[in-house]
Amino acid sequence: MYADDETIRKILTRTGDTWAVVGLSNNTSRAAYGVAALLQRYGKRIVPVHPKAETVHGERGYASLADVPFGVDVVDVFVNGDLAGRVADEAVAKGAAAVWFQLGVIDEEAYGRTRAAGLDMVMDRCPAIELPLLA
């Protein structure tokens, strides 16, 4: 409902390989930890974004998206729906090409704003589920 198969394929295969993973920490029980590892296995560079700014999976972390000193292609959002809209707006300001809201993260107004700004967006889906389906 919030992304067609072509948009998903585009983000996963053609948009770029630097993914800021917002909400990623060293908490191995959180979904973000496992999804980030899978993204790496598929050749993506992950950039942990979390207030703790921890190094995760060998990649230096940053406290906020604005603190990342280089461009990111996709912003993968693992925060709750109440905070996700702000992250989508930060992704637009950062110059990202796409925003991906994880399963259960839904903000229809943020979806509209992000699409209106010209970014591709997926909402309520998981790249760890979608990537293996591309083969």
Side-chain angles (χ1 to χ4, degrees), residues 44-104:
K44 309 298 183 189
R45 176 185 183 192
I46 57 124
V47 181
V49 178
H50 188 281
K52 292 180 183 178
E54 298 174 314
T55 295
V56 183
H57 299 306
E59 294 287 346
R60 178 180 173 199
Y62 298 90
S64 72
L65 200 50
D67 291 338
V68 178
F70 49 83
V72 298
D73 301 309
V74 181
V75 177
D76 191 4
V77 182
F78 280 92
V79 299
N80 70 46
D82 294 340
L83 303 173
R86 186 183 85 230
V87 175
D89 295 339
E90 291 171 2
V92 171
K94 182 75 178 165
V99 175
W100 191 299
F101 280 10
Q102 285 293 325
L103 291 171

Side-chain angles (χ1 to χ4, degrees), residues 1-12 14 100 111 115 120-123 125 130 134:
M1 178 172 166
Y2 300 111
D4 58 78
D5 289 341
E6 181 52 35
T7 299
I8 290 169
R9 180 174 293 281
K10 177 183 175 188
I11 292 171
L12 294 174
R14 299 188 307 272
W100 191 299
Y111 182 87
R115 295 291 297 132
D120 287 322
M121 184 160 182
V122 173
M123 189 161 61
R125 303 283 283 269
E130 303 297 334
L134 293 177

